[in-house]
Amino acid sequence: MLSYLHAFHAGNFADVQKHGALALALSMMQAKKSGIACFDTHAGSAIYDLRSERARKTGEADEGVQKLWSARDGLGAEDWKPFLDVLEGFNAGTGKLSVYPGSPAWFQHFLRPSDALTVFELHPSESEQLSGWASEAPIRVLRQDGLAGLLKQLPPKQPRLLTLIDPSYEIKSDYADVAETLGKAWQKCRHGVYLVWYPILTSGLQAQLKEAVRRTDLRKVLCSEVHLRHPPERGMVGSGMLVVNPPWGFDSRLSAMMSDVAGPEVLNMTHDIGWLVPE
Ligand code: SAM
């Protein structure tokens, strides 16, 4: 049974890293004209109200995107600009950050007529909200398992591919399943760009994902990890992203973005980036 609801966590430090990397990948890939098939395997409900009871209960956005929003005028990395423009757009005219876009809304913001977006979500109420949000947009919403669903759709019609894999990791086997799917997806579309998010936990379970990815035939896998400087005693103490086939220069640009927000006055964390699997 699925119990995870992203509304409790939307806009936290992990979303800043994940959506920052996604916005960067999209804008770098769109420097070329050819169409991109975009897939979001675990979409959530697309739009989050940071004033809602669920968001207020955890206050996670206060320690995440709200800190970045308050520091926005002092950010040096140019690549935060498209990210901040999206947030401005969702909160137009209010001067406050109350609406936070989930991954399908980030994809949708960047979508050009030559691109396509397919999103998967299994949770009944999340997928209902997602379908309502997407009803007027050229987005395919599928209430299917995102990992199996992705493999059925590959290779895509468009010349290029960008996939976000962002499970809730409610089931321990998710770590191994993600690595297996990544390996199979890469066999079907080797030039695709794949972004995988994972939590960094005190239990260390995320090591299973990284070890399993190393055992596949995948090459060119970048790994970006942030660690909170004041982590909780148990649970999530950081957040990681694997990026398969990142656009050229993506690593230094993501590094500049994360360094810009890592300081104690913003997100108070450390950032490491390097190749999990080199070329
Ligand atoms: N990607 C979203 C974002 O960045 O805004 C957040 C997604 S949340 C971390 C994970 C989502 O995956 C949850 O909404 C959950 O219901 C959904 N989910 C869990 N198992 C799934 C599966 N096998 N296939 C598709 N969606 C699934």
Side-chain angles (χ1 to χ4, degrees):
M1 209 192 61
L2 297 167
S3 57
Y4 179 94
L5 291 170
H6 198 61
F8 288 100
H9 311 288
N12 66 5
F13 74 96
D15 267 6
V16 170
Q17 181 201 25
K18 181 200 334 173
H19 298 145
L22 177 62
L24 177 64
L26 277 162
S27 46
M28 287 183 81
M29 288 178 76
Q30 288 184 338
K32 288 187 190 155
K33 275 195 184 145
S34 52
I36 307 168
C38 299
F39 290 93
D40 189 349
T41 59
H42 298 74
S45 61
I47 302 290
Y48 301 97
D49 181 353
L50 299 182
R51 298 159 306 182
S52 70
E53 207 175 304
R54 286 173 178 173
R56 298 310 319 145
K57 187 164 182 192
T58 61
E60 289 189 19
D62 297 347
E63 299 303 314
V65 73
Q66 295 290 10
K67 293 220 157 147
L68 179 134
W69 183 251
S70 303
R72 65 192 182 282
D73 292 339
L75 296 180
E78 268 293 295
D79 285 317
W80 281 117
K81 182 151 186 341
F83 181 94
L84 290 165
D85 286 347
V86 173
L87 295 182
E88 290 270 7
F90 276 97
N91 292 275
T94 63
K96 287 191 178 151
L97 187 57
S98 316
V99 179
Y100 187 76
S103 51
W106 287 94
F107 273 113
Q108 196 240 354
H109 174 87
F110 286 89
L111 216 60
R112 305 167 301 180
S114 56
D115 303 328
L117 175 59
T118 303
V119 303
F120 299 90
E121 174 56 52
L122 262 188
H123 192 288
S125 66
E126 296 293 87
S127 92
E128 199 181 316
Q129 278 188 54
L130 181 64
S131 300
W133 167 79
S135 62
E136 310 248 308
I139 301 173
R140 198 153 49 134
V141 180
L142 301 175
R143 191 167 160 190
Q144 294 175 12
D145 173 69
L147 298 180
L150 171 69
L151 293 178
K152 277 194 214 143
Q153 302 291 333
L154 297 184
K157 284 193 205 115
Q158 288 73 12
R160 290 183 301 149
L161 169 74
L162 175 60
T163 297
L164 173 67
I165 301 179
D166 179 27
S168 35
Y169 297 96
E170 285 171 272
I171 307 164
K172 281 189 184 167
S173 59
D174 281 349
Y175 296 93
D177 291 348
V178 167
E180 191 187 337
T181 302
L182 206 50
K184 287 183 179 166
W186 183 77
Q187 295 292 352
K188 290 181 165 219
C189 186
R190 292 193 177 206
H191 63 275
V193 177
Y194 302 88
L195 269 62
V196 178
W197 180 85
Y198 58 91
I200 297 177
L201 303 169
T202 46
S203 65
L205 272 176
Q206 69 281 355
Q208 290 179 7
L209 168 66
K210 290 161 73 174
E211 277 157 26
V213 167
R214 278 200 200 95
R215 287 196 298 270
T216 65
D217 292 332
L218 283 161
R219 311 302 307 161
K220 248 180 124 182
V221 186
L222 188 69
C223 176
S224 153
E225 290 194 346
V226 297
H227 290 259
L228 295 171
R229 280 186 206 272
H230 297 295
E233 270 176 32
R234 262 180 297 161
M236 192 166 91
V237 293
S239 148
M241 293 287 300
L242 299 181
V243 186
V244 181
N245 290 329
W248 189 85
F250 178 91
D251 49 345
S252 52
R253 288 171 68 169
L254 182 63
S255 182
M257 287 171 78
M258 298 318 299
S259 305
D260 212 12
V261 298
E265 64 292 351
V266 191
L267 297 179
N268 207 8
M269 58 195 193
T270 58
H271 178 239
D272 302 299
I273 193 162
W275 294 99
L276 178 70
V277 187
E279 201 152 353

